Amino acid sequence: MGYKIASSKAGVNVGTATAPNDFNYSSDYNTLKYYTAGTIRVAGSAVFPNTNRYFGTITHGLGYYPFFSFFATDDSSATNFYPYGFVAVGAGGLTRTACARMGTNTMRFMYKITNASSGTISGTATFYYKIYRNNTNL
Amino acid sequence: MGYTMRVSLPSIDALTNGTIDQYSVYADSDNILIKEFSRGTINIANLALGTVNHNLGYIPLTFVFAKNGGSQAFLAGGDANSSFPATYTVGTGNVVITNNFSGTKTFNYFIFYDQGTTL
Amino acid sequence: MTQVIKVSKAGINVGTATDPNSFIFDSTLNTFKIVATGTVLGTISAGGLGNTGTVSTAHGLSFIPPVVGFIRTTSSAGTTILHPTAEEQISADHIFRSIWADGTNVNFEIRVASDISGTVFNCRYYAFEVPL
């Protein structure tokens, strides 16, 4: 017979409940577990009519591909936190893109600027990342 | 001496298995479970915004999913031109979802106490 | 009186703390549960710029789950995993467009770089509990 720990939601009988939604916690189910978090800023510019990519890298050192999440902001709209990056078309033909990719020991962030307007346009993206212990086993 | 609580997944020996993925709870100081603040559903009209207030005062970890017919899609903040044309942003007081679908859609959300931008 | 199990973060008094973020574990708060997870290998053929295909696998659940996922790709940038909507980080690269679940499958929508044919993608999904 297996043993487990379970805590049901208010009003639910922990001894008879079976649906995951009936529990606040059940050891039958895995959870997302944090490992580390941090912030990295990536700045860049583009002269019309170019598209330029800029990169920033952090080291997590886990040795495998972990579950991850992150928010990205663009300094031009710093109150908006975009989960898993953004593809934003700004005023005057400026397109900014922010995304990331994960390696077994590092995580790389990209800030891309497309200047379809004129002159030189600059910007900075800030990435707030969280890396989890959970191994994707990819 | 610090203490911890570890609860293994079914059929795993909690005393001998050293892989964190085999634990449901691994409450050492650098393994912090995700704790739910609120969950719910919001219907948003075509090309409209929908706001879910959380009033936590910080950016919380948040997941939003779009329901489209018999499917449910994970939303990332970025690409309004993807097959599921909806995006969202998270602020210190609310979550704002933008529906770029061709009709009214239902969105499921999970907001957590856990910080979205720090550990 | 309600019984609870709580584990506070280092340096915090578990008996007096009230902020949910002071705890590593609190049995009064719902813990986001992974109800299923799996991987699938799929091949998508290149068919010119912007060719998009879908890799699918059955999730085995009786409901349509919220899913989060990642894909592993190999390009000139090396082997990495991508999140949904990640743009290419080099000009010739794959894009993980979206992930969604229906009543049977988890589906990964991927745009293949035009100069790479017969690409095999290794995809991982996590299915979570139902919101309501």
Side-chain angles (χ1 to χ4, degrees):
Chain A
M1 180 178 74
Y3 295 90
K4 66 181 180 183
I5 293 177
S7 171
S8 63
K9 293 182 178 172
V12 177
N13 185 325
V14 69
T16 58
T18 57
N21 279 336
D22 287 335
F23 298 97
N24 278 340
Y25 170 74
S26 169
S27 60
D28 282 344
Y29 303 103
N30 204 349
T31 57
L32 292 173
K33 299 174 279 290
Y34 297 134
Y35 169 60
T36 189
T39 303
I40 183 171
R41 291 171 60 85
V42 181
S45 63
V47 176
F48 174 79
N50 295 331
T51 293
N52 294 329
R53 293 179 172 85
Y54 298 88
F55 302 97
T57 300
I58 61 98
T59 299
H60 59 78
L62 286 169
Y64 56 80
Y65 299 107
F67 189 109
F68 66 94
S69 63
F70 69 95
F71 284 94
T73 64
D74 186 283
D75 279 6
S76 64
S77 59
T79 59
N80 291 325
F81 288 74
Y82 294 88
Y84 289 101
F86 57 81
V87 176
V89 179
L94 167 64
T95 302
R96 298 149 292 142
T97 301
C99 63
R101 59 200 304 151
M102 177 62 76
T104 57
N105 286 292
T106 60
M107 183 174 182
R108 189 172 80 163
F109 302 88
M110 182 189 80
Y111 183 45
K112 187 176 83 170
I113 301 177
T114 296
N115 184 351
S117 176
S118 62
T120 300
I121 298 177
S122 302
T124 302
T126 302
F127 299 87
Y128 304 86
Y129 59 89
K130 301 189 87 158
I131 300 173
Y132 301 71
R133 286 280 190 181
N134 304 67
N135 188 345
T136 62
N137 288 302
L138 287 174
Chain B
M1 181 179 75
Y3 295 90
T4 188
M5 182 171 86
R6 299 179 183 176
V7 182
S8 62
L9 292 172
S11 78
I12 301 296
D13 186 332
L15 294 177
T16 60
N17 191 294
T19 304
I20 289 177
D21 268 357
Q22 304 301 320
Y23 290 88
S24 179
V25 175
Y26 198 95
D28 295 38
S29 62
D30 61 352
N31 292 281
I32 301 173
L33 300 179
I34 292 179
K35 299 168 289 294
E36 185 176 308
F37 167 70
S38 74
R39 63 170 65 180
T41 294
I42 181 171
N43 296 319
I44 304 173
N46 170 40
L47 300 180
L49 303 177
T51 299
V52 177
N53 294 313
H54 60 75
N55 298 314
L56 287 168
Y58 55 85
I59 307 297
L61 188 68
T62 305
F63 292 128
V64 177
F65 303 86
K67 299 178 75 173
N68 187 25
S71 299
Q72 179 162 216
F74 174 71
L75 293 187
D79 191 0
N81 296 314
S82 77
S83 295
F84 295 87
T87 63
Y88 69 103
T89 60
V90 183
T92 58
N94 56 38
V95 178
V96 178
I97 305 168
T98 302
N99 176 16
N100 293 304
F101 281 94
S102 59
T104 298
K105 295 298 176 185
T106 300
F107 297 84
N108 292 323
Y109 60 85
F110 297 87
I111 303 173
F112 302 92
Y113 281 109
D114 306 69
Q115 294 268 3
T117 58
T118 63
L119 198 59
Chain C
M1 181 178 71
T2 302
Q3 310 296 320
V4 300
I5 300 174
K6 293 186 178 183
V7 180
S8 63
K9 295 179 182 178
I12 293 177
N13 186 325
V14 70
T16 58
T18 57
D19 181 354
N21 281 319
S22 296
F23 299 99
I24 293 172
F25 178 76
D26 180 342
S27 64
T28 67
L29 300 177
N30 188 53
T31 302
F32 203 42
K33 294 175 279 295
I34 301 169
V35 298
T37 185
T39 57
V40 58
L41 287 176
T43 301
I44 298 175
S45 301
L49 182 64
N51 184 49
T52 298
T54 301
V55 177
S56 301
T57 185
H59 52 68
L61 299 171
S62 62
F63 57 91
I64 304 172
V67 290
V68 178
F70 305 93
I71 68 171
R72 189 182 74 179
T73 70
T74 299
S75 67
S76 60
T79 299
T80 57
I81 66 170
L82 304 181
H83 60 82
T85 77
E87 261 218 9
E88 67 273 19
Q89 294 210 355
I90 58 174
S91 59
D93 206 352
H94 312 300
I95 296 177
F96 180 14
R97 275 270 187 245
S98 62
I99 178 172
W100 79 96
D102 56 33
T104 303
N105 292 321
V106 178
N107 308 280
F108 299 79
E109 181 188 23
I110 302 167
R111 195 196 83 170
V112 182
S114 60
D115 59 345
I116 301 174
S117 63
T119 303
V120 178
F121 295 93
N122 195 343
C123 310
R124 158 74 68 180
Y125 73 89
Y126 298 85
F128 296 98
E129 53 197 278
V130 179
L132 297 173

